[in-house]
Every structure is written in structure tokens, then in C-alpha cells.
């Protein structure tokens, strides 16, 4: 069985206005998948259904052989601790230090009391520093997160996801609020993670060219439906036209140069 | 196009202004309030204050007693505020949309907060006076109840504003509810909350005087006593000490706020 399987996933916040209509796909371990589509296509909702941050409407999500929708509170916690998540706005606790924020990723493995008292093992702390080292922000370990730049904060967010020892990392628009340089750093790190650690990545993006550069596979969403699912090189202009319902980025660029 | 929009805006402003004038005039007419006559009364009132509210040596002899009562009042306000803050934190965590456990608890805690906030502190002290009698517990409770209402509301807003993103992130790591509250919501909201508590201590020291007059406790009672026996020199002295105490506390809390925020 694949690491992640989505069967006939449907979701609507208001009746009669579905966000996702019958989404099905499966992801093997180690894949780097980009999900593209215009705003409002349901990318974020779909990603959040995978770890049930948003309740699943109809259909099933299987993660590592477990039916995510059928889990009780404890089971869901167990599922979530193996799924890392990275957000557009980093979602760190700004007033806490970098290292504290990274260690937050271990809460899934701790009892409530251990978490509340902040008792982390030596091994966990060492791991946290190793990860910061790997992402090149070890020197900021004791700084408050609100003193870091956006790109640095996003790297803290990635460390927090990695310290969970996740089987998969879900990234919701990880570079949408970053400048081009920081975006490249973040995408390079995500790529390294998927190759070196063998962690599966699903990344929501709205830059088609970035998706093509980094992902092995692209899923195109449009109005809650999968309209493209295949290896990145096969995503031709015809498909991007269909997904975005307009002339592609490449063509506009040509127009501007002329 | 643009010009008509601007003209309309201007017309609306004029209308609003005229409306306020008419409303003022109407209210004065209905309540028989004479603007000129009240102005005429000002010099007389000033003269009375100048001749009667003078601190003399005899009044100064009462200073130790006054300080005793003043300090009692200040500590009562601080105790009422901090204990109320603990309860408010709990109610706010239950009532905030971000950290709500379930709808029933949320509605309940917001109802409690709104009830205790919307009944003024003066009304609370009179209500509590009937049930608890004339002692310092009544004064304490009156301040406590009003403070819970206000602080719960302020804390709910602090939590909603501070913690939305990090709560989502920690939920996604599989953290439990109390882990999220203690490690994301509280650390992020704490400075703002402390600032609200300090503000409430200031407010409560001021209200404590009024509550004291009504419930017969603390500095307010003393004020009332000397006022009713027409010993205005002591009344003046009490007023001055209250003002100085409030100013002192305000300066102190501004200092603390600068450090923590």
C-alpha cells in the first residue's frame, strides 16, 4: 500500500458549495509532489484534510495504512506526530526562542505533563541543534523568533517539522511570503530533505515554474478537481492553460519582452 | 463622479453636525438644564472649595489613620484584581474561539463575563451589600466581580489576536490541548495580559474609593465619615492622598509595562 492514499475526497464548508469534489490520488514514500492551482482551487483545504486539521467530508484518507478519518482523538494524535507541517506564515510562537519553537515539534511524543513542564531529553535537544545546524541557523538558536527574517523563520518551521521524525511533510505555500532568494533557499532545503532523509514532501505552490523545477510529480487542482496528475515534465502549456484558465506565465513573459 | 462623492460626504458631515446640536439643545430643554446658570455657579463653587478644602495641622494629625486605610484599600484592590485575573484567564481560554473546548463552555464563560461586566461596579456593591453585609469582603467581591468581566473580555481578545497561527501549527504536530495552551497561547499573550492586569489594578484603586463609600470599607468609608461630619479639612487630605497614590501606581505600572512589552 502506498504511504498516502486519498479516495474520493469531498469537502464543503457550506452545503451546495463544495471546495473539493472527488479528489483521488496516492503518494509513494520518497516522492516530492507539488500541488498547483489558482487561489480558491482547494489546495489548502486538501492539504489540511490529509492530517485532519480540517474534517474530512466524504471519502477516505489512508496514511501509513491507517484510516485518518476513522481515528479517535488519541489515534489522530498518533497520525499527526508522523506528519510534519510547514505554513505560509511560519506559525511560530514569535516571543519564544528558536530552539524552544523547534522543540515544540516533539509534543506529539510526550505526555501532557511532560509537555507542559517542558521536559525534553538530552537527545532531543541535541537533535534540535543538529537540525538548526543543517539548515544554517544554529547561531540564532537563542534569539526570539520575531527577530528573524521571513526566510529564517521558515527554516525554523522546517526544523520543527523535521524533529517530529515525520514520514511525510505537508507544506502549505511555504514560499508565498518570501523574496526570490529566500524562496530558493527554502525550496533547496525541502528538496535536500526529501532526498537525504527520504521524507515524502507534498508542497502547495502557485508558481508553476518552481513546481516544475523541484517536484518529481505535479498534481493540478482546479475548482476542487484533479485536472492533472503526472511527472513534472509532462505538465505542458496545454495543462497549465487549463488549470489556470488563461494564458500561461511563459506567454505573458514573451509578450512583455516583445 | 469624484466631485459628487465628495459633495455627498460633505453634506453628510454637515447633517451629522446639525444633528448633534439639535440633540444637545433638546436634551437640555427636556432636563431643564441651563447652560448659562451652571456657568454662573462655577465661581461660587471654586470659592467654597478654596475656603473649606484646606488641609490644616489638625487634619494632618489624622494622616497615620488615613495611610492605614489607604494601604488597606490598595492591597484589597491588588488582591481582587490578581485573583480575578486567574479566574479570567481560565474563562478566557474557555471562551476564546481559538482555544475553545466546546461550544457550551464557550458560551457559558462569555455569558458570565458579559453579565459581570455589564452590571456596573456600583450596582454590584449595593447588591452584594444586601447579601454579605457591611464588611471588607463585600468591597472585595464587588471589585472582583467587575474585574472578572472586564479581564475575561480583554484576555479573549489577546488570545485571539496572539495565538491563531501557532495553535494551528502545534495541533498539527500532535500536541495535546494543555500543551498548546501552556506553550503557545500563554507565552505569546502573557505580556499583553499583564498589561491589562496592571491597568485593572489602577482602575480598581480608583473604584475602591467609591465602592468603599457604598459598602463602608477602606478609604472610601473614611472619606464618607468625615464628609458627613463636615470635617472638610480631613476630606481634602484624604482626597490628596488618594490622588497621589493613584499617580504613583500609574507611574509604576507604566514603568513595568515598558519593560515587559
Amino acid at each position: 500500500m502506498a504511504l498516502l492514499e486519498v479516495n474520493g475526497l469531498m469537502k464543503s464548508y457550506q452545503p451546495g458549495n463544495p471546495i473539493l469534489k472527488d479528489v483521488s490520488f496516492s503518494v509513494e514514500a520518497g516522492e516530492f509532489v507539488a500541488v498547483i492551482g489558482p487561489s480558491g482551487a482547494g489546495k489548502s483545504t486538501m492539504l489540511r484534510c490529509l492530517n485532519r486539521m480540517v474534517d474530512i467530508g466524504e471519502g477516505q484518507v489512508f496514511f501509513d495504512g491507517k484510516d485518518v478519518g476513522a481515528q479517535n482523538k488519541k489515534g489522530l494524535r498518533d497520525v499527526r506526530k508522523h506528519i510534519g507541517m510547514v505554513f505560509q506564515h511560519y506559525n511560530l510562537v514569535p516571543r519564544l526562542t528558536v530552539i524552544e519553537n523547534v522543540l515544540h515539534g516533539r509534543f506529539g511524543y510526550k505526555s501532557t505533563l511532560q509537555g507542559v513542564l517542558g521536559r525534553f531529553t538530552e537527545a532531543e535537544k541535541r537533535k534540535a541543534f543538529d537540525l538548526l545546524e543543517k539548515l544554517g541557523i544554529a547561531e540564532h538558536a537563542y534569539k526570539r523568533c520575531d527577530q528573524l527574517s521571513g526566510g529564517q523563520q521558515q527554516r525554523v518551521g522546517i526544523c520543527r517539522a523535521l524533529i517530529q521524525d515525520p514520514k511525510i511533510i505537508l507544506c502549505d505555500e511555504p514560499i508565498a511570503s518570501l523574496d526570490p532568494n529566500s524562496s530558493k533557499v527554502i525550496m533547496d532545503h525541502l528538496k535536500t530533505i526529501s532526498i537525504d532523509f527520504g521524507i515524502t514532501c507534498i508542497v502547495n505552490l502557485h508558481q508553476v515554474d518552481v513546481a516544475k523545477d523541484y517536484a518529481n510529480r505535479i498534481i493540478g487542482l482546479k475548482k476542487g478537481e484533479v485536472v492533472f496528475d503526472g511527472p513534472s515534465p509532462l505538465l505542458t502549456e496545454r495543462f497549465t492553460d487549463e488549470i489556470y484558465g488563461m494564458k500561461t506565465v511563459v506567454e505573458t513573459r514573451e509578450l512583455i519582452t516583445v | 463622479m469624484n466631485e459628487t462623492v465628495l459633495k455627498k460626504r460633505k453634506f453628510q458631515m454637515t447633517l451629522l453636525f446639525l444633528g448633534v446640536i439639535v440633540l444637545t439643545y433638546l436634551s437640555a430643554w427636556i432636563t431643564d438644564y441651563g447652560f448659562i446658570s451652571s456657568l454662573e455657579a462655577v465661581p461660587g463653587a471654586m470659592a467654597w472649595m478654596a475656603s473649606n478644602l484646606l488641609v490644616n495641622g489638625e487634619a494632618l494629625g489624622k494622616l497615620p489613620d488615613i495611610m492605614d486605610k489607604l494601604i488597606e484599600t490598595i492591597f484589597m484592590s491588588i488582591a481582587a484584581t490578581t485573583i480575578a485575573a486567574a479566574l479570567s484567564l481560565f474563562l478566557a481560554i474557555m471562551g476564546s474561539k481559538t482555544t475553545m473546548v466546546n461550544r457550551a463552555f464557550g458560551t457559558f464563560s462569555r455569558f458570565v463575563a458579559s453579565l459581570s461586566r455589564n452590571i456596573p461596579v456600583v450596582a454590584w456593591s449595593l447588591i452584594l451589600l444586601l447579601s454579605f453585609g457591611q464588611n471588607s469582603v463585600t468591597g472585595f467581591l464587588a471589585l472582583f466581580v467587575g474585574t472578572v468581566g472586564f479581564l475575561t473580555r480583554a484576555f479573549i481578545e489577546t488570545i485571539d489576536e496572539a495565538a491563531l497561527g501557532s495553535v494551528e501549527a502545534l495541533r498539527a504536530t500532535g500536541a495535546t490541548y494543555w500543551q498548546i495552551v501552556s506553550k503557545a497561547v500563554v507565552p505569546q499573550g502573557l505580556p499583553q495580559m499583564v498589561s491589562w492586569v496592571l491597568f485593572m489594578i489602577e482602575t480598581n484603586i480608583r473604584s475602591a474609593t467609591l465602592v468603599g463609600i457604598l459598602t463602608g470599607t477602606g478609604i472610601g468609608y473614611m472619606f464618607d465619615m468625615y464628609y458627613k461630619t463636615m470635617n472638610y479639612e480631613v476630606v481634602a487630605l484624604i482626597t490628596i492622598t488618594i490622588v497621589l497614590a493613584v499617580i504613583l501606581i500609574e507611574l509604576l505600572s507604566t514603568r513595568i509595562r515598558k519593560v515587559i512589552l
Side-chain angles (χ1 to χ4, degrees):
Chain A
M1 196 178 191
L3 178 67
L4 183 75
E5 257 195 56
V6 180
N7 291 327
L9 178 64
M10 297 199 204
K11 174 72 191 175
S12 54
Y13 293 107
Q14 294 133 7
N17 184 15
I19 304 292
L20 297 173
K21 306 169 205 162
D22 195 19
V23 172
S24 302
F25 61 92
S26 68
V27 178
E28 299 290 340
E31 274 190 280
F32 194 112
V33 183
V35 180
I36 61 168
S39 311
K43 301 191 297 287
S44 285
T45 305
M46 190 206 74
L47 206 69
R48 280 169 172 72
C49 281
L50 302 183
N51 59 353
R52 236 175 88 192
M53 294 300 288
V54 164
D55 270 318
I56 295 165
E58 279 171 56
Q60 285 122 13
V61 175
F62 288 97
F63 170 72
D64 208 14
K66 287 179 193 154
D67 184 349
V68 176
Q71 299 296 319
N72 59 13
K73 219 171 159 184
K74 194 168 171 300
L76 181 62
R77 202 181 161 219
D78 240 32
V79 165
R80 279 181 183 164
K81 79 181 181 196
H82 294 296
I83 302 180
M85 199 160 188
V86 173
F87 301 86
Q88 177 182 353
H89 300 291
Y90 334 123
N91 292 16
L92 306 170
V93 183
R95 292 185 57 86
L96 294 183
T97 60
V98 167
I99 191 75
E100 281 173 298
N101 268 291
V102 174
L103 285 168
H104 281 175
R106 294 302 295 179
F107 282 153
Y109 292 88
K110 304 210 162 286
S111 72
T112 294
L113 195 64
Q114 281 173 326
V116 170
L117 296 177
R119 300 187 67 91
F120 296 101
T121 63
E122 267 319 299
E124 282 169 334
K125 290 177 200 164
R126 214 169 308 127
K127 176 104 190 272
F129 275 104
D130 284 351
L131 287 171
L132 288 174
E133 193 82 49
K134 262 195 193 99
L135 276 99
I137 42 172
E139 79 251 43
H140 302 304
Y142 296 110
K143 272 192 196 160
R144 266 169 53 162
C145 284
D146 50 11
Q147 292 170 338
L148 302 185
S149 71
Q152 289 167 334
Q153 291 194 43
Q154 191 58 291
R155 282 186 265 170
V156 178
I158 294 174
C159 284
R160 179 176 62 191
L162 283 177
I163 206 168
Q164 288 176 247
D165 284 326
K167 296 198 166 87
I168 191 168
I169 292 186
L170 310 174
C171 306
D172 188 21
E173 308 270 7
I175 57 169
S177 358
L178 297 177
D179 63 73
N181 272 334
S182 314
S183 298
K184 188 175 178 319
V185 172
I186 294 296
M187 287 312 292
D188 286 344
H189 277 304
L190 289 176
K191 189 73 186 171
T192 318
I193 287 160
S194 89
I195 293 168
D196 291 358
F197 298 93
I199 297 171
T200 315
C201 286
I202 300 183
V203 186
N204 280 356
L205 285 171
H206 51 219
Q207 302 90 328
V208 180
D209 39 349
V210 176
K212 288 182 94 165
D213 282 349
Y214 286 91
N216 319 118
R217 175 180 163 196
I218 290 177
I219 294 175
L221 273 186
K222 185 189 182 184
K223 292 183 181 157
E225 283 173 295
V226 177
V227 290
F228 178 87
D229 183 358
S232 320
L234 293 187
L235 183 82
T236 54
E237 254 172 54
R238 196 167 62 79
F239 284 112
T240 37
D241 267 352
E242 193 191 333
I243 293 168
Y244 288 92
M246 56 165 201
K247 294 293 158 201
T248 55
V249 182
V250 185
E251 277 183 28
T252 1
R253 202 182 291 151
E254 275 169 5
L255 272 177
I256 291 165
T257 42
V258 167
Chain B
M1 166 71 197
N2 227 346
E3 212 156 292
T4 53
V5 172
L6 282 178
K7 247 184 197 161
K8 205 173 156 195
R9 183 61 68 74
K10 219 173 188 175
F11 178 69
Q12 280 172 341
M13 282 310 287
T14 317
L15 213 63
L16 187 75
F17 195 62
L18 282 176
V20 170
I21 291 177
V22 168
L23 210 64
T24 312
Y25 184 76
L26 259 178
S27 332
W29 182 64
I30 289 169
T31 56
D32 247 347
Y33 169 79
F35 188 66
I36 307 293
S37 62
S38 62
L39 264 187
E40 277 168 354
V42 170
M46 287 291 183
W48 186 88
M49 280 195 225
S51 59
N52 283 290
L53 291 179
L54 282 177
V55 182
N56 55 19
E58 195 194 336
L60 275 177
K62 299 266 193 275
L63 194 60
D65 283 353
I66 295 173
M67 289 314 283
D68 254 13
K69 285 284 178 198
L70 183 67
I71 287 168
E72 182 196 316
T73 307
I74 290 174
F75 280 121
M76 190 183 76
S77 312
I78 293 175
T81 314
T82 45
I83 296 171
L87 179 64
S88 299
L89 179 61
F90 181 75
L91 286 177
I93 288 170
M94 291 297 139
S96 155
K97 287 221 163 58
T98 326
T99 53
M100 190 161 61
V101 181
N102 63 41
R103 238 168 237 282
F105 270 146
T107 315
F108 172 74
S109 75
R110 263 172 290 155
F111 174 73
V112 169
S114 148
L115 186 74
S116 58
R117 188 174 62 245
N118 288 324
I119 299 178
V121 105
V122 176
W124 273 120
S125 24
L126 291 177
I127 295 168
L128 292 167
L129 189 60
L130 295 176
S131 18
F132 287 90
Q134 185 173 5
N135 57 47
S136 53
V137 176
T138 312
F140 173 85
L141 281 177
L143 291 180
F144 177 81
V145 172
T147 310
V148 166
F150 182 85
L151 280 184
T152 304
R153 174 66 192 273
F155 285 1
I156 284 179
E157 260 159 41
T158 307
I159 290 173
D160 281 344
E161 182 183 324
L164 202 64
S166 48
V167 167
E168 187 191 20
L170 286 200
R171 253 180 0 112
T173 68
T176 63
Y177 178 77
W178 288 109
Q179 287 173 346
I180 296 172
V181 168
S182 68
K183 292 293 164 180
V185 176
V186 172
Q188 189 56 31
L190 199 59
Q192 194 68 47
M193 289 180 190
V194 171
S195 167
W196 278 119
V197 170
L198 289 172
F199 170 77
M200 216 48 216
I201 288 177
E202 286 167 33
T203 313
N204 274 348
I205 288 174
R206 267 178 238 124
S207 335
T209 314
L210 182 62
V211 170
I213 292 176
L214 295 169
T215 60
T217 50
I219 193 84
Y221 178 60
M222 210 171 197
F223 183 95
D224 196 33
M225 209 169 67
Y226 285 108
Y227 180 78
K228 280 181 179 152
T229 52
M230 294 193 282
N231 194 342
Y232 297 124
E233 291 84 8
V234 183
V235 169
L237 184 62
I238 292 174
T239 312
I240 290 168
T241 53
I242 293 173
V243 170
L244 285 180
V246 170
I247 290 175
L248 203 72
I249 300 269
E250 247 183 51
L251 288 177
L252 207 70
S253 70
T254 312
R255 257 284 176 59
I256 298 174
R257 224 170 268 155
K258 247 186 207 150
V259 173
I260 57 167
L261 277 184

